[in-house]
Amino acid sequence: MAKTAVRGTFLDFVDDPWTHVGAETEATRFFADGLLVISDGLVVAFGDYAETAAAHPDAEITHLPDRLIVPGFVDGHIHFPQTRVLGGYGEQLLPWLQKTVFPEERRYADREYAQEGARHFFDTLLASGTTTFQAFTSSAPVCTEVLFDEAARRNMRAIAGITAIDQNAPDWFQISPADFYAAATEQIAEYHGKGRNLYAITPRFAFGATEELLETCRRLKEENPDVWVHTHISENPAEIRGVLDLHADCTDYLGVYEKYGLVGPKFTGGHGVWLSNGEFRRMSDSGAAVTFCPCSNLYLGSGLFRLGRATDPEHRVRMTFGTDVGGGNRFSMLNVLEDAYKVGMLNNCMLDGSIVPSDQDLAESERNKLSPLRAFYSITLGGAQGLYIDDRVGNFDLGKEADFVALDWNGGPPATAWHMSLLAPDGGPTTVQDAAELLFGIMMVGDERAVDETWLMGQRAYKKA
Amino acid sequence: MAKTAVRGTFLDFVDDPWTHVGAETEATRFFADGLLVISDGLVVAFGDYAETAAAHPDAEITHLPDRLIVPGFVDGHIHFPQTRVLGGYGEQLLPWLQKTVFPEERRYADREYAQEGARHFFDTLLASGTTTFQAFTSSAPVCTEVLFDEAARRNMRAIAGITAIDQNAPDWFQISPADFYAAATEQIAEYHGKGRNLYAITPRFAFGATEELLETCRRLKEENPDVWVHTHISENPAEIRGVLDLHADCTDYLGVYEKYGLVGPKFTGGHGVWLSNGEFRRMSDSGAAVTFCPCSNLYLGSGLFRLGRATDPEHRVRMTFGTDVGGGNRFSMLNVLEDAYKVGMLNNCMLDGSIVPSDQDLAESERNKLSPLRAFYSITLGGAQGLYIDDRVGNFDLGKEADFVALDWNGGPPATAWHMSLLAPDGGPTTVQDAAELLFGIMMVGDERAVDETWLMGQRAYKKA
């Protein structure tokens, strides 16, 4: 197989920066002038340019100067059929679903409409630097089929599955447990592990699932232990109250999914804004993951995810970060980082003790601060670990799929370049500290205009016009 | 004087939408095909195209099709010499000032650096649709001079003044009350009321002001009753505690400014995140204004401004909205609206009663919802009213200065146009309801890329490349 290579300034992660407080760069790998060598879409060498190039004289090199190259972004929670409806007005979760979301998602039962949606969805993800996602679809099988087909055509790593709801939704939007079982079983055979597609058993959320539906999920997971489980958890106070009314034998929201054997590795619950300390601990113990969706949590007024609690070293919970489009109003994981930073800082106006001195918790407060290295870890290696796909993506380790993003730190609103010139006055970053400063600028001052190129398995899949 | 005119789709406000709950369009004026006639920079006619054009056959008409034209945006609180430092990492207000802000502002004592900053500042404001601002400068007189000179050159309406601090800042950043008095007096004579410039007595904040400095502000206001007063108030819990320690005879933050006779019409306090109900009432009674700076309040983790409380009809407080660059991380008032919406929705996860039933306040919750008409009112007519300049700017009433923005609702991230096509499927808005939907999309899905043109006093000052 022919070898290709990309030369440029690289930054990726080899560990979790939250476990290196005060020395985060220990979790980081940085080459001011580096080379990534690729064969058959996989990383075969990564290191300093001079020595790596010497070891691979046969590699055809593409040089991307004046860019900061990082692993492709992982969006842990996105709703494919909500691509068009980001931005519904004025409602919290439950009425918003009824008014805005279900009617739009219904249209994805039509293959042609779903294909049009898929074009916009993938184009926008790639323009945003997202190379891996875990998605909800709709209750119509065709919606999931179209998503997987298009992911395969684009060669993008996708986790998805038909999204089941059988109560608290209009009749025309529900799917029966039997139909769900049949469709999921068929789709697992058809799509799971084919190319880069992976399947997730996807009950929409406990509020929309009868006991029979959850039993069906348990059965699917037992019959297909290798697949993923993806759902929502503890997003909104009214939703939580509704779930506990429906499942009176469960003492908390996580308990519902536990009861049906769904919580463990490869389980992701989206949001987790209102998870108790006990639920966080049980998720940590079981290896389950939570997705932090700050744009959505602010947009729908759901609340403030306790980032500093989820990252408690004694009970670290696996995390992905997600846009939650269309509950989130932005497709770009850079905007997710912006809002995630804001949520962490907001949490801290409580934890610094200046409001209620007894609430002071400076260690948790420190963990709430989304430093640029924590941030980009969270949407690359951290996201891959949250999804249990860090053997395939997340950084530039040998054998991983060569998905990456070339960032132009000057891309963004008008003042961006002048701002960045203060952070790295002599042009590109020459140290990991300079690179971290630029990354912080990109996430707080820039936006998806900083994404100059997106590559999938060693092939350029997007170039900014 | 030659008459010019602009033809297009117009929306502006004639009243406060918060006073028309359920019938907000009563506060709005909309012409699907309208004409704005301008002479000597001022509006001389505004109305439906056909009849207005017939009445002004001599006007030279510029047609801006496929745009939504709204009054220019008012930024009520921005720090000119922080143009380059938006995005400092990880600190709340007080340490952030020391580490990041004061060193950068110090550079604006150099005229050449200040001029470079001014170019970026005005270019970015105009590209963001901002046509009026109230700004902090630094404690160096030259910084204020450069700002006013450049505002005059650009013909932009500016309110500003030398920004005084004489404690809790490095020595090299302080200004003595005597020097401040002399500089402000000289600048009032030189700049106030010249062209579009207006002067504000600007003590930075009570935490940085000795009693002598506040006495000096009182004296300046007594000697120049026509000028503005601009400062900060109740931004951050630690700051508030500091202020009350310094002013032990005052029972709250507002009381400090009241004690020195500064609170009343033309007074603006920035932030007001932690204002008590009593302080809101006293501000309302006195005619003082507060600036809501949501990007900054989230960015610095200051807290959640109580929008629904400030808009209580019994004690309505005048409001401007502001970027608070660089405490805020975005120059665009559209991003301010995005974060303002999120703050309002976050407030409501408390007020809906699902957490603590006794906290339920559905009327305040309703006022927390930043509808698109409330939003664009707040950054046009509402902002002008907050600054007591609504006799000059804020809408298209006859005699006002013809500042406006032509919005391209398709400008923004990649998915924007497809999203917008759902809101106004047949192209431009033909009703005020359609226009409102597009405005909501612009503020939540779009960004300053939606600003296609910005006009100052009837002249095009910015056109998107």
Side-chain angles (χ1 to χ4, degrees), chain B residues 200-377:
Chain B
I201 301 161
T202 311
R204 192 172 190 116
F205 61 162
F207 187 64
T210 63
E211 299 203 4
E212 193 187 347
L213 185 68
L214 291 166
E215 275 297 351
T216 304
C217 293
R218 182 213 297 268
R219 181 176 165 201
L220 282 165
K221 178 68 178 169
E222 283 171 359
E223 292 174 1
N224 306 277
D226 181 46
V227 305
W228 276 249
V229 178
H230 188 204
T231 189
H232 293 79
I233 192 165
S234 291
E235 178 173 2
N236 171 287
E239 171 219 13
I240 296 166
R241 213 179 35 200
V243 166
L244 295 181
D245 285 349
L246 290 170
H247 300 273
D249 57 329
C250 297
T251 54
D252 56 28
Y253 202 137
L254 185 66
V256 179
Y257 298 128
E258 287 171 331
K259 180 179 166 191
Y260 294 95
L262 300 174
V263 179
K266 295 188 180 178
F267 169 94
T268 308
H271 301 294
V273 172
W274 299 94
L275 288 171
S276 67
N277 295 352
E279 286 171 296
F280 271 136
R281 278 196 294 274
R282 276 146 52 208
M283 290 186 82
S284 172
D285 291 345
S286 72
V290 64
T291 310
F292 179 20
C293 304
C295 295
S296 171
N297 299 158
L298 299 180
Y299 190 78
L300 296 176
S302 301
L304 303 176
F305 178 79
R306 297 190 297 154
L307 182 63
R309 173 64 55 173
T311 49
D312 179 354
E314 290 181 39
H315 305 284
R316 178 67 153 87
V317 180
R318 285 181 188 242
M319 274 193 303
T320 56
F321 282 29
T323 58
D324 190 29
V325 160
N329 60 316
R330 302 282 177 193
F331 263 92
S332 166
M333 293 300 293
L334 299 172
N335 290 123
V336 167
L337 295 182
E338 175 188 357
D339 278 4
Y341 180 81
K342 290 176 171 178
V343 167
M345 289 300 287
L346 265 183
N347 283 334
N348 285 355
C349 77
M350 301 295 166
L351 293 171
D352 73 358
S354 57
I355 300 175
V356 182
S358 61
D359 284 350
Q360 188 180 65
D361 186 335
L362 297 182
E364 183 167 334
S365 169
E366 195 287 323
R367 296 193 300 269
N368 264 315
K369 291 187 187 178
L370 191 67
S371 73
L373 295 180
R374 288 172 176 177
F376 281 81
Y377 160 77

Side-chain angles (χ1 to χ4, degrees), chain B residues 111 137 140-150 186-187 191:
Chain B
R111 186 172 299 272
T137 61
V142 67
C143 177
T144 307
E145 295 163 21
V146 166
L147 182 73
F148 276 134
D149 289 344
E150 185 69 11
E186 191 178 311
Q187 290 180 350
Y191 293 107

Side-chain angles (χ1 to χ4, degrees), chain A residues 84 86 90 330 339 341 419, chain B residues 84 86 90 341-342 419 445:
Chain A
R84 202 175 185 181
L86 39 175
R330 302 282 178 192
D339 278 5
Y341 180 82
H419 172 63
Chain B
R84 202 175 185 183
L86 40 172
Y341 180 81
K342 290 176 171 178
H419 171 63
V445 180

Side-chain angles (χ1 to χ4, degrees), chain B residues 108-123:
Chain B
Y108 282 70
D110 175 69
R111 186 172 299 272
E112 214 167 296
Y113 191 80
Q115 286 169 335
E116 184 183 2
R119 277 195 299 278
H120 290 287
F121 182 75
F122 283 90
D123 285 352

Side-chain angles (χ1 to χ4, degrees), chain A residues 7 21 56 64 78 94 109 131 171 173 179 197 228-229 254 261 277 285 345 351 357 367 377 408-409 414 430 456:
Chain A
R7 178 180 180 182
V21 174
H56 298 273
L64 302 179
I78 187 165
L94 300 181
T131 57
D171 285 345
F173 194 71
D179 288 350
N197 286 331
W228 276 249
V229 179
L254 184 66
N277 294 351
D285 292 345
M345 291 298 289
L351 293 171
R367 295 194 299 271
Y377 160 77
D408 171 7
W409 50 87
T430 56
L456 296 172

